[in-house]
Amino acid sequence: MIYLDSAATTSVRREVLEAMWPLLIAEYGNPSSHNEAGVSAAAALAEARSRVAAVFGCRPSEVVFTSGGTEGANLAVIGIALANPRGRHIVTSAIEHPAVLESCAYLERFHGFEITRLAVDGDGLVGLPEFSAALRADTTLASVMYANNEIGTVQPISSLALAAHAVGAAVHTDAVQAPGSLPLQVSALGVDALSISGHKFGAPKGIGAVFLASRIAVEPLVHGGGQERGRRSGTENVAGAVGLAVALELAELSRARAASLAEARDGLIRDILAAVPSARLTGSAGSRLAGNASFTFAGTSGESIVLELERRGIVCSSGSACAAGSDEPSAVLLAVGISPEVAQTAVRFSFTEALGAEELGRVAREVTLAVAAIGAGGTN
Ligand code: PLP
Protein backbone atom coordinates (compact mmCIF):
# COMPACT_ATOMS: atom_id res chain seq x y z
CA MET A 1 0.00 0.00 0.00
CA ILE A 2 1.29 3.47 -0.90
CA TYR A 3 -0.10 6.01 1.55
CA LEU A 4 -0.82 9.52 0.28
CA ASP A 5 -3.28 10.74 2.88
CA SER A 6 -0.85 12.29 5.37
CA ALA A 7 -2.89 15.51 5.55
CA ALA A 8 -5.70 13.42 7.06
CA THR A 9 -3.47 11.59 9.50
CA THR A 10 -0.11 9.85 9.86
CA SER A 11 1.12 6.72 11.60
CA VAL A 12 2.78 7.08 14.97
CA ARG A 13 6.55 7.16 14.55
CA ARG A 14 8.58 4.48 16.26
CA GLU A 15 10.70 7.03 18.16
CA VAL A 16 7.50 8.67 19.41
CA LEU A 17 6.00 5.40 20.64
CA GLU A 18 9.27 4.46 22.32
CA ALA A 19 9.36 7.78 24.18
CA MET A 20 5.71 7.37 25.26
CA TRP A 21 5.85 3.73 26.30
CA PRO A 22 7.52 4.15 29.74
CA LEU A 23 5.08 6.93 30.63
CA LEU A 24 2.15 4.62 29.93
CA ILE A 25 3.24 1.50 31.78
CA ALA A 26 5.81 2.51 34.42
CA GLU A 27 5.98 6.26 35.06
CA TYR A 28 2.23 6.77 34.88
CA GLY A 29 1.76 9.16 37.82
CA ASN A 30 -0.64 12.07 37.84
CA PRO A 31 1.38 15.29 37.41
CA SER A 32 -0.77 16.94 40.10
CA SER A 33 0.06 14.27 42.69
CA HIS A 34 2.78 15.04 45.20
CA ASN A 35 4.03 11.47 45.37
CA GLU A 36 7.18 10.37 43.57
CA ALA A 37 5.30 9.07 40.51
CA GLY A 38 3.44 12.37 40.21
CA VAL A 39 6.59 14.43 40.54
CA SER A 40 8.29 12.46 37.81
CA ALA A 41 5.22 12.77 35.54
CA ALA A 42 5.22 16.53 36.16
CA ALA A 43 8.90 16.65 35.22
CA ALA A 44 8.26 14.71 31.99
CA LEU A 45 5.41 17.08 31.14
CA ALA A 46 7.57 20.13 31.86
CA GLU A 47 10.33 18.80 29.65
CA ALA A 48 7.88 18.11 26.82
CA ARG A 49 6.53 21.64 27.16
CA SER A 50 10.04 23.12 26.99
CA ARG A 51 10.84 21.12 23.87
CA VAL A 52 7.67 22.28 22.11
CA ALA A 53 8.40 25.85 23.26
CA ALA A 54 11.90 25.60 21.77
CA VAL A 55 10.40 24.77 18.37
CA PHE A 56 7.90 27.65 18.67
CA GLY A 57 10.58 29.98 20.04
CA CYS A 58 8.34 30.93 22.95
CA ARG A 59 8.29 30.52 26.72
CA PRO A 60 7.22 27.10 28.02
CA SER A 61 4.42 28.81 29.96
CA GLU A 62 2.97 29.92 26.62
CA VAL A 63 2.38 26.31 25.45
CA VAL A 64 -0.93 24.66 26.32
CA PHE A 65 -1.42 20.97 25.54
CA THR A 66 -4.81 20.16 24.02
CA SER A 67 -6.58 17.15 22.55
CA GLY A 68 -5.70 18.24 18.99
CA GLY A 69 -6.14 20.88 16.33
CA THR A 70 -9.87 21.36 16.77
CA GLU A 71 -9.57 22.08 20.47
CA GLY A 72 -6.55 24.32 19.93
CA ALA A 73 -8.42 26.43 17.36
CA ASN A 74 -11.50 26.61 19.61
CA LEU A 75 -9.41 27.72 22.58
CA ALA A 76 -7.52 30.32 20.57
CA VAL A 77 -10.50 31.76 18.67
CA ILE A 78 -13.22 31.59 21.32
CA GLY A 79 -10.86 32.03 24.28
CA ILE A 80 -9.23 35.17 22.88
CA ALA A 81 -12.50 36.61 21.57
CA LEU A 82 -14.29 36.25 24.90
CA ALA A 83 -11.40 37.49 27.02
CA ASN A 84 -10.75 40.62 25.00
CA PRO A 85 -13.83 42.84 25.03
CA ARG A 86 -12.14 45.44 22.84
CA GLY A 87 -14.67 44.70 20.10
CA ARG A 88 -16.87 42.02 18.65
CA HIS A 89 -15.46 41.71 15.17
CA ILE A 90 -13.36 38.83 13.79
CA VAL A 91 -11.64 38.54 10.44
CA THR A 92 -11.06 35.08 9.01
CA SER A 93 -10.93 33.45 5.59
CA ALA A 94 -13.54 31.48 3.67
CA ILE A 95 -11.21 28.47 3.39
CA GLU A 96 -10.50 27.83 7.08
CA HIS A 97 -10.94 24.38 8.57
CA PRO A 98 -14.32 23.93 10.31
CA ALA A 99 -12.41 24.08 13.62
CA VAL A 100 -12.01 27.82 13.02
CA LEU A 101 -15.14 28.50 10.95
CA GLU A 102 -17.45 26.83 13.45
CA SER A 103 -15.77 28.55 16.40
CA CYS A 104 -16.48 31.85 14.64
CA ALA A 105 -20.05 30.78 13.88
CA TYR A 106 -20.53 29.95 17.56
CA LEU A 107 -19.32 33.43 18.57
CA GLU A 108 -21.65 34.93 15.99
CA ARG A 109 -24.68 32.94 17.19
CA PHE A 110 -24.24 33.13 20.93
CA HIS A 111 -22.04 36.15 21.66
CA GLY A 112 -23.06 38.74 19.09
CA PHE A 113 -19.79 38.75 17.15
CA GLU A 114 -19.64 39.95 13.59
CA ILE A 115 -17.51 37.71 11.37
CA THR A 116 -15.84 38.80 8.13
CA ARG A 117 -15.05 35.70 6.07
CA LEU A 118 -12.62 36.89 3.43
CA ALA A 119 -12.80 35.52 -0.10
CA VAL A 120 -9.58 34.09 -1.54
CA ASP A 121 -8.19 34.27 -5.06
CA GLY A 122 -8.06 31.37 -7.52
CA ASP A 123 -4.88 30.06 -5.85
CA GLY A 124 -6.51 30.11 -2.43
CA LEU A 125 -4.53 33.12 -1.22
CA VAL A 126 -5.86 35.80 1.11
CA GLY A 127 -4.95 39.17 -0.40
CA LEU A 128 -3.18 41.62 1.90
CA PRO A 129 -5.15 44.64 0.58
CA GLU A 130 -8.49 42.85 1.13
CA PHE A 131 -7.36 41.64 4.56
CA SER A 132 -6.19 45.13 5.59
CA ALA A 133 -9.42 46.69 4.35
CA ALA A 134 -11.46 44.26 6.47
CA LEU A 135 -9.66 45.20 9.71
CA ARG A 136 -11.45 47.69 11.96
CA ALA A 137 -10.92 49.46 15.25
CA ASP A 138 -13.22 46.90 16.89
CA THR A 139 -11.52 43.83 15.35
CA THR A 140 -10.61 41.62 18.28
CA LEU A 141 -9.03 38.77 16.38
CA ALA A 142 -7.86 37.70 12.95
CA SER A 143 -7.59 33.96 12.34
CA VAL A 144 -6.07 32.81 9.05
CA MET A 145 -4.73 29.33 8.48
CA TYR A 146 -1.02 28.89 7.79
CA ALA A 147 -1.56 26.20 5.15
CA ASN A 148 -4.73 24.72 3.73
CA ASN A 149 -5.40 21.03 4.30
CA GLU A 150 -7.14 20.45 0.95
CA ILE A 151 -5.29 22.51 -1.65
CA GLY A 152 -2.02 23.09 0.25
CA THR A 153 -1.94 26.87 -0.23
CA VAL A 154 0.42 28.60 2.22
CA GLN A 155 -0.69 32.05 3.40
CA PRO A 156 1.62 35.05 3.95
CA ILE A 157 0.97 34.93 7.69
CA SER A 158 3.67 37.36 8.81
CA SER A 159 2.41 40.13 6.50
CA LEU A 160 -1.19 39.53 7.57
CA ALA A 161 -0.17 39.54 11.24
CA LEU A 162 1.66 42.83 10.81
CA ALA A 163 -1.46 44.44 9.33
CA ALA A 164 -3.70 43.03 12.08
CA HIS A 165 -1.39 44.26 14.82
CA ALA A 166 -1.41 47.72 13.28
CA VAL A 167 -5.08 47.99 14.30
CA GLY A 168 -4.49 46.24 17.62
CA ALA A 169 -6.13 42.91 16.74
CA ALA A 170 -4.72 39.62 18.02
CA VAL A 171 -3.76 36.96 15.47
CA HIS A 172 -4.28 33.20 15.52
CA THR A 173 -3.05 30.85 12.85
CA ASP A 174 -4.21 27.27 12.38
CA ALA A 175 -0.84 25.65 11.73
CA VAL A 176 -2.10 22.05 11.81
CA GLN A 177 -0.71 21.29 8.34
CA ALA A 178 2.58 23.13 8.85
CA PRO A 179 4.90 20.91 10.94
CA GLY A 180 7.52 19.23 8.78
CA SER A 181 7.06 21.75 5.96
CA LEU A 182 6.99 25.29 7.33
CA PRO A 183 8.84 27.22 10.07
CA LEU A 184 6.93 27.48 13.35
CA GLN A 185 8.85 30.28 15.08
CA VAL A 186 6.03 32.41 16.43
CA SER A 187 8.01 35.65 16.63
CA ALA A 188 8.98 35.47 12.94
CA LEU A 189 5.35 34.71 12.07
CA GLY A 190 4.26 37.54 14.35
CA VAL A 191 1.26 35.62 15.72
CA ASP A 192 -0.27 35.67 19.19
CA ALA A 193 -1.67 32.15 18.94
CA LEU A 194 -0.82 29.10 16.84
CA SER A 195 -2.35 25.64 16.99
CA ILE A 196 -0.97 22.24 15.94
CA SER A 197 -2.17 18.63 16.12
CA GLY A 198 0.06 15.63 16.87
CA HIS A 199 -1.55 13.07 14.57
CA LYS A 200 -0.64 15.08 11.49
CA PHE A 201 3.08 14.53 12.07
CA GLY A 202 3.77 11.21 13.73
CA ALA A 203 2.28 11.58 17.23
CA PRO A 204 -0.96 9.84 18.21
CA LYS A 205 -4.48 11.20 17.78
CA GLY A 206 -5.77 13.04 20.82
CA ILE A 207 -2.82 15.32 21.55
CA GLY A 208 -2.13 18.80 20.26
CA ALA A 209 -0.64 22.06 21.41
CA VAL A 210 -1.48 25.71 21.14
CA PHE A 211 0.85 28.64 21.59
CA LEU A 212 -0.90 31.42 23.50
CA ALA A 213 1.25 34.52 23.96
CA SER A 214 1.40 35.59 27.58
CA ARG A 215 0.47 39.15 26.54
CA ILE A 216 -2.98 37.95 25.37
CA ALA A 217 -5.79 37.13 27.78
CA VAL A 218 -7.60 33.85 27.11
CA GLU A 219 -10.88 32.64 28.56
CA PRO A 220 -10.66 28.88 29.19
CA LEU A 221 -13.20 26.57 27.56
CA VAL A 222 -12.67 23.60 29.87
CA HIS A 223 -13.16 24.36 33.55
CA GLY A 224 -11.99 22.24 36.45
CA GLY A 225 -8.82 21.63 38.39
CA GLY A 226 -6.83 24.49 36.87
CA GLN A 227 -4.22 22.46 34.98
CA GLU A 228 -2.28 24.14 32.17
CA ARG A 229 -2.22 27.36 34.22
CA GLY A 230 -5.98 27.42 34.28
CA ARG A 231 -6.28 27.58 30.50
CA ARG A 232 -7.24 23.93 30.00
CA SER A 233 -8.34 21.91 33.01
CA GLY A 234 -8.21 18.14 33.17
CA THR A 235 -5.50 15.64 34.01
CA GLU A 236 -2.78 16.09 31.44
CA ASN A 237 -2.04 13.56 28.69
CA VAL A 238 1.58 13.22 29.78
CA ALA A 239 2.56 10.42 27.41
CA GLY A 240 0.82 12.24 24.55
CA ALA A 241 2.64 15.48 25.35
CA VAL A 242 5.99 13.68 25.40
CA GLY A 243 5.13 11.98 22.10
CA LEU A 244 4.10 15.29 20.57
CA ALA A 245 7.40 16.90 21.61
CA VAL A 246 9.45 14.09 20.05
CA ALA A 247 7.34 14.12 16.87
CA LEU A 248 7.65 17.89 16.56
CA GLU A 249 11.44 17.74 16.83
CA LEU A 250 11.50 15.02 14.16
CA ALA A 251 9.22 17.16 11.98
CA GLU A 252 11.72 20.00 12.34
CA LEU A 253 14.46 17.69 11.05
CA SER A 254 12.23 16.79 8.08
CA ARG A 255 11.59 20.47 7.45
CA ALA A 256 15.28 20.94 6.68
CA ARG A 257 14.65 18.61 3.72
CA ALA A 258 11.34 20.18 2.65
CA ALA A 259 12.89 21.56 -0.54
CA SER A 260 13.59 18.06 -1.85
CA LEU A 261 10.07 16.95 -0.89
CA ALA A 262 8.73 19.96 -2.84
CA GLU A 263 10.83 18.88 -5.82
CA ALA A 264 9.34 15.39 -5.66
CA ARG A 265 5.86 16.97 -5.39
CA ASP A 266 6.51 19.08 -8.49
CA GLY A 267 7.60 15.95 -10.34
CA LEU A 268 4.35 14.22 -9.42
CA ILE A 269 2.32 17.27 -10.46
CA ARG A 270 4.17 17.48 -13.78
CA ASP A 271 3.71 13.78 -14.50
CA ILE A 272 -0.03 13.80 -13.74
CA LEU A 273 -0.70 17.01 -15.70
CA ALA A 274 1.24 15.64 -18.67
CA ALA A 275 -0.44 12.24 -18.69
CA VAL A 276 -4.06 13.12 -17.85
CA PRO A 277 -5.61 15.76 -20.14
CA SER A 278 -8.50 16.52 -17.75
CA ALA A 279 -6.20 17.07 -14.74
CA ARG A 280 -5.98 20.58 -13.25
CA LEU A 281 -3.90 21.52 -10.22
CA THR A 282 -5.89 23.08 -7.39
CA GLY A 283 -4.26 25.66 -5.13
CA SER A 284 -1.13 27.66 -5.74
CA ALA A 285 1.80 26.31 -7.76
CA GLY A 286 4.29 28.49 -5.91
CA SER A 287 2.99 28.99 -2.36
CA ARG A 288 2.24 25.38 -1.56
CA LEU A 289 2.87 22.76 1.11
CA ALA A 290 5.79 20.54 0.16
CA GLY A 291 3.75 17.34 0.49
CA ASN A 292 0.50 18.33 -1.23
CA ALA A 293 -0.53 17.65 -4.83
CA SER A 294 -4.25 18.14 -5.40
CA PHE A 295 -6.20 18.06 -8.62
CA THR A 296 -9.57 18.04 -10.26
CA PHE A 297 -10.28 15.60 -13.09
CA ALA A 298 -13.29 17.13 -14.86
CA GLY A 299 -15.66 14.58 -16.34
CA THR A 300 -14.85 11.91 -13.74
CA SER A 301 -15.68 11.56 -10.06
CA GLY A 302 -13.20 12.04 -7.24
CA GLU A 303 -14.76 9.24 -5.21
CA SER A 304 -14.44 6.82 -8.15
CA ILE A 305 -10.79 7.70 -8.67
CA VAL A 306 -10.07 7.20 -4.97
CA LEU A 307 -11.77 3.79 -5.02
CA GLU A 308 -10.04 2.74 -8.23
CA LEU A 309 -6.67 3.81 -6.82
CA GLU A 310 -7.33 1.95 -3.61
CA ARG A 311 -7.85 -1.21 -5.64
CA ARG A 312 -4.46 -0.50 -7.14
CA GLY A 313 -2.82 -0.15 -3.73
CA ILE A 314 -2.77 3.65 -3.51
CA VAL A 315 -4.47 5.48 -0.64
CA CYS A 316 -5.49 9.11 -1.16
CA SER A 317 -8.62 11.15 -0.60
CA SER A 318 -11.30 12.93 -2.57
CA GLY A 319 -12.07 16.58 -2.12
CA SER A 320 -15.70 15.95 -1.40
CA ALA A 321 -15.41 13.96 1.79
CA CYS A 322 -13.45 16.33 3.98
CA ALA A 323 -16.18 17.05 6.47
CA ALA A 324 -17.24 13.90 8.28
CA GLY A 325 -20.08 12.15 6.47
CA SER A 326 -20.65 15.00 4.01
CA ASP A 327 -21.34 14.59 0.30
CA GLU A 328 -21.35 18.33 -0.27
CA PRO A 329 -18.74 19.72 -2.63
CA SER A 330 -15.79 21.12 -0.74
CA ALA A 331 -16.32 24.72 0.38
CA VAL A 332 -12.60 25.32 -0.16
CA LEU A 333 -12.81 24.33 -3.82
CA LEU A 334 -15.91 26.45 -4.35
CA ALA A 335 -14.10 29.39 -2.71
CA VAL A 336 -11.27 29.18 -5.25
CA GLY A 337 -13.80 29.42 -8.07
CA ILE A 338 -14.25 25.76 -8.99
CA SER A 339 -17.83 24.82 -9.98
CA PRO A 340 -19.76 22.37 -7.77
CA GLU A 341 -19.65 19.74 -10.58
CA VAL A 342 -15.89 19.96 -11.03
CA ALA A 343 -15.34 20.14 -7.24
CA GLN A 344 -16.81 16.61 -7.06
CA THR A 345 -13.89 15.40 -9.17
CA ALA A 346 -11.17 16.52 -6.75
CA VAL A 347 -8.47 14.18 -5.49
CA ARG A 348 -5.78 15.06 -2.96
CA PHE A 349 -2.42 13.35 -2.65
CA SER A 350 -0.62 14.28 0.57
CA PHE A 351 2.63 12.64 1.54
CA THR A 352 5.86 12.86 3.47
CA GLU A 353 9.49 12.20 2.65
CA ALA A 354 8.90 8.57 3.66
CA LEU A 355 7.61 8.09 0.11
CA GLY A 356 10.43 7.41 -2.37
CA ALA A 357 10.79 8.69 -5.93
CA GLU A 358 9.98 5.24 -7.30
CA GLU A 359 6.69 5.11 -5.39
CA LEU A 360 5.72 8.60 -6.56
CA GLY A 361 6.47 7.56 -10.13
CA ARG A 362 4.13 4.61 -9.69
CA VAL A 363 1.43 6.91 -8.32
CA ALA A 364 1.52 9.03 -11.48
CA ARG A 365 1.22 5.91 -13.66
CA GLU A 366 -1.64 4.44 -11.61
CA VAL A 367 -3.55 7.74 -11.62
CA THR A 368 -3.36 7.77 -15.40
CA LEU A 369 -4.66 4.18 -15.56
CA ALA A 370 -7.36 4.82 -12.97
CA VAL A 371 -8.73 7.89 -14.78
CA ALA A 372 -8.68 5.97 -18.08
CA ALA A 373 -10.48 3.00 -16.48
CA ILE A 374 -13.20 5.26 -15.10
CA GLY A 375 -13.50 7.15 -18.38
CA ALA A 376 -14.02 3.79 -20.12
CA GLY A 377 -17.04 3.25 -17.92
CA GLY A 378 -15.19 1.11 -15.36
CA THR A 379 -16.46 2.21 -11.99
CA ASN A 380 -18.13 5.56 -12.38
N1 PLP B 1 -7.05 22.44 11.05
C1 PLP B 1 -6.61 21.86 9.92
C2 PLP B 1 -6.01 22.70 8.85
C3 PLP B 1 -6.72 20.47 9.75
O1 PLP B 1 -6.28 19.90 8.63
C4 PLP B 1 -7.31 19.71 10.80
C5 PLP B 1 -7.50 18.25 10.64
O2 PLP B 1 -7.93 17.77 9.62
C6 PLP B 1 -7.73 20.37 11.97
C7 PLP B 1 -7.59 21.73 12.06
C8 PLP B 1 -8.33 19.61 13.11
O3 PLP B 1 -7.34 18.88 13.79
P1 PLP B 1 -7.73 17.62 14.72
O4 PLP B 1 -8.04 16.49 13.81
O5 PLP B 1 -6.49 17.35 15.51
O6 PLP B 1 -8.85 18.04 15.57
Side-chain angles (χ1 to χ4, degrees):
M1 189 252 288
I2 305 182
Y3 186 78
L4 296 102
D5 203 16
S6 302
T9 200
T10 60
S11 69
V12 175
R13 295 181 72 150
R14 179 172 299 279
E15 302 92 320
V16 169
L17 199 54
E18 280 168 1
M20 293 175 66
W21 188 243
L23 295 151
L24 292 164
I25 59 161
E27 301 147 31
Y28 51 81
N30 185 322
S32 298
S33 297
H34 293 294
N35 51 41
E36 203 176 310
V39 170
S40 93
L45 185 66
E47 194 197 324
R49 198 184 305 283
S50 296
R51 290 167 74 173
V52 173
V55 173
F56 288 169
C58 69
R59 285 197 284 261
S61 59
E62 295 176 308
V63 174
V64 174
F65 288 112
T66 64
S67 62
T70 300
E71 186 189 331
N74 272 255
L75 179 55
V77 172
I78 300 172
I80 291 173
L82 294 184
N84 293 277
R86 122 191 184 91
R88 287 183 187 276
H89 178 236
I90 293 178
V91 176
T92 189
S93 84
I95 62 163
E96 298 297 306
H97 187 275
V100 166
L101 287 178
E102 291 301 317
S103 293
C104 290
Y106 162 80
L107 289 166
E108 192 173 41
R109 265 198 313 277
F110 294 106
H111 295 278
F113 276 76
E114 191 186 333
I115 314 294
T116 301
R117 297 166 180 88
L118 285 172
V120 292
D121 68 13
D123 284 352
L125 283 162
V126 173
L128 183 57
E130 292 80 2
F131 180 80
S132 302
L135 295 164
R136 311 192 312 217
D138 66 341
T139 306
T140 297
L141 177 74
S143 186
V144 176
M145 71 200 315
Y146 198 174
N148 185 269
N149 44 306
E150 293 182 46
I151 58 175
T153 300
V154 177
Q155 304 293 345
I157 294 299
S158 53
S159 316
L160 302 179
L162 217 56
H165 285 159
V167 303
V171 178
H172 165 249
T173 190
D174 170 354
V176 164
Q177 294 292 336
S181 293
L182 301 170
L184 294 171
Q185 290 275 317
V186 293
S187 55
L189 288 168
V191 295
D192 307 288
L194 174 149
S195 41
I196 61 169
S197 174
H199 74 99
K200 306 291 185 179
F201 55 93
K205 293 162 188 66
I207 185 72
V210 55
F211 156 72
L212 294 169
S214 55
R215 60 184 174 272
I216 302 286
V218 177
E219 184 65 29
L221 306 182
V222 182
H223 303 271
Q227 290 90 343
E228 300 288 307
R229 293 173 184 257
R231 292 163 300 183
R232 200 267 189 180
S233 287
T235 300
E236 302 89 335
N237 178 356
V238 181
V242 168
L244 179 106
V246 172
L248 193 59
E249 287 174 353
L250 292 170
E252 279 295 279
L253 295 178
S254 302
R255 188 168 69 79
R257 299 183 291 273
S260 65
L261 183 63
E263 242 172 70
R265 170 204 67 199
D266 289 341
L268 178 66
I269 291 173
R270 251 193 327 271
D271 289 352
I272 290 180
L273 292 179
V276 185
S278 64
R280 298 284 177 277
L281 185 70
T282 58
S284 163
S287 187
R288 182 174 199 100
L289 278 175
N292 174 299
S294 51
F295 304 88
T296 54
F297 298 93
T300 63
S301 130
E303 278 301 312
S304 304
I305 294 175
V306 168
L307 288 174
E308 183 66 30
L309 285 173
E310 189 142 36
R311 266 195 286 281
R312 295 164 181 272
I314 290 167
V315 176
C316 58
S317 76
S318 71
S320 58
C322 283
S326 161
D327 289 334
E328 293 294 308
S330 145
V332 173
L333 297 176
L334 300 184
V336 297
I338 294 171
S339 70
E341 298 72 42
V342 175
Q344 300 282 11
T345 72
V347 179
R348 175 189 70 189
F349 304 96
S350 53
F351 45 93
T352 67
E353 61 180 352
L355 223 59
E358 197 180 310
E359 286 163 312
L360 281 178
R362 187 172 148 220
V363 171
R365 287 194 298 281
E366 296 290 356
V367 169
T368 312
L369 295 172
V371 173
I374 292 162
T379 47
N380 203 354

